[in-house]
């Protein structure tokens, strides 16, 4: 099964679900995420897994565009540096840039760090993809107190695709 995140005015987001994981239905969790992936036996209270968010391109005041206002662009390097700085301010520790990755033929930027949730430490990868329909943020959280992301979740990034509406 390939779940689809149906967010307003965005393309359809697809990701192949790795064995042992499941996609939460939108009614199983509350929050801004467009898409959530957790271990098969877990529910929305689990921090381990993948969360995907989309931010409308209109929220980016510093985006540039061509003469008719189409093809908005964001300087991803600056965005990533600012996001890393913001993460440090809210208590993410060990923040460091990670090598870019290609997701659905698009260049990403990202960083890693450690977050605390319910007195447990989680290693997190933060990935950012700029598209015509906005900024897509992909957060991958480790198991509690682990120092690496489950391998199958990292590989799942290669299965992400967007389909035009």
């Amino acid at each position: 099964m390939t779940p689809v995140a149906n967010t307003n005015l965005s393309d359809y987001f697809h990701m192949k679900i790795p064995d042992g994981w499941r996609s939460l239905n939108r009614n199983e969790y509350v929050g801004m995420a467009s898409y959530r992936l957790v271990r098969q036996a877990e529910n929305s209270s689990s921090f381990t897994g993948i969360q995907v968010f989309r931010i409308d391109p209109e929220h980016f005041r510093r985006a540039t565009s061509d003469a008719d206002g189409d093809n908005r662009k964001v300087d991803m390097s600056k965005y990533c540096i600012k996001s890393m700085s913001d993460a440090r301010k809210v208590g993410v520790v060990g923040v460091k840039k990670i090598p870019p990755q290609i997701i659905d033929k698009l260049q990403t930027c990202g960083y890693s760090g450690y977050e605390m949730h319910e007195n447990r430490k989680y290693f997190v990868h933060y990935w950012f993809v700029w598209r015509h329909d906005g900024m897509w943020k992909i957060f991958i959280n480790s198991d509690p107190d682990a120092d690496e992301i489950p391998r199958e979740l990292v590989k799942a990034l290669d299965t992400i695709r967007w389909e035009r509406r």
Side-chain angles (χ1 to χ4, degrees):
M1 176 180 160
T2 303
V4 176
N6 294 310
T7 56
N8 293 336
L9 304 174
S10 69
D11 288 345
Y12 293 105
F13 173 88
H14 301 273
M15 174 188 282
K16 185 174 186 266
I17 300 173
D19 290 340
W21 296 83
R22 72 184 184 97
S23 172
L24 295 179
N25 294 320
R26 186 70 178 123
N27 63 352
E28 290 184 81
Y29 63 93
V30 176
M32 292 177 35
S34 302
Y35 179 82
R36 289 268 327 260
L37 190 68
V38 297
R39 288 196 191 281
Q40 194 66 41
E42 296 291 329
N43 59 33
S44 64
S45 66
S46 174
F47 292 104
T48 302
I50 295 178
Q51 295 183 49
V52 180
F53 303 85
R54 183 189 70 89
I55 300 175
D56 191 279
E58 301 304 317
H59 286 96
F60 292 86
R61 293 183 304 262
R62 293 194 174 126
T64 59
S65 59
D66 56 17
D68 61 4
D70 292 335
N71 302 317
R72 295 173 63 91
K73 294 181 181 20
V74 168
D75 183 327
M76 292 299 290
S77 181
K78 286 182 183 176
Y79 183 85
C80 200
I81 290 168
K82 168 102 171 73
S83 185
M84 290 170 67
S85 175
D86 291 346
R88 288 181 184 107
K89 290 176 187 172
V90 297
V92 179
V93 297
V95 174
K96 62 180 165 179
K97 195 166 187 169
I98 50 182
Q101 181 157 331
I102 302 297
I103 297 178
D104 196 17
K105 301 176 189 161
L106 298 167
Q107 182 78 35
T108 68
C109 68
Y111 63 93
S112 63
Y114 290 90
E115 291 184 358
M116 294 295 291
H117 296 283
E118 298 176 354
N119 296 318
R120 304 292 299 268
K121 177 180 78 169
Y122 292 83
F123 183 60
V124 182
H125 279 188
Y126 306 87
W127 293 102
F128 306 101
V129 182
W130 178 256
R131 303 180 72 250
H132 70 94
D133 57 350
M135 179 70 72
W136 288 77
K137 297 181 175 192
I138 304 165
F139 301 160
I140 308 177
N141 297 314
S142 73
D143 289 310
D145 305 317
D147 290 323
E148 60 184 39
I149 301 293
R151 192 82 201 123
E152 64 271 21
L153 294 184
V154 174
K155 287 182 176 183
L157 291 174
D158 293 334
T159 71
I160 292 174
R161 299 291 178 266
W162 284 273
E163 178 185 335
R164 289 282 192 155
R165 282 190 185 256

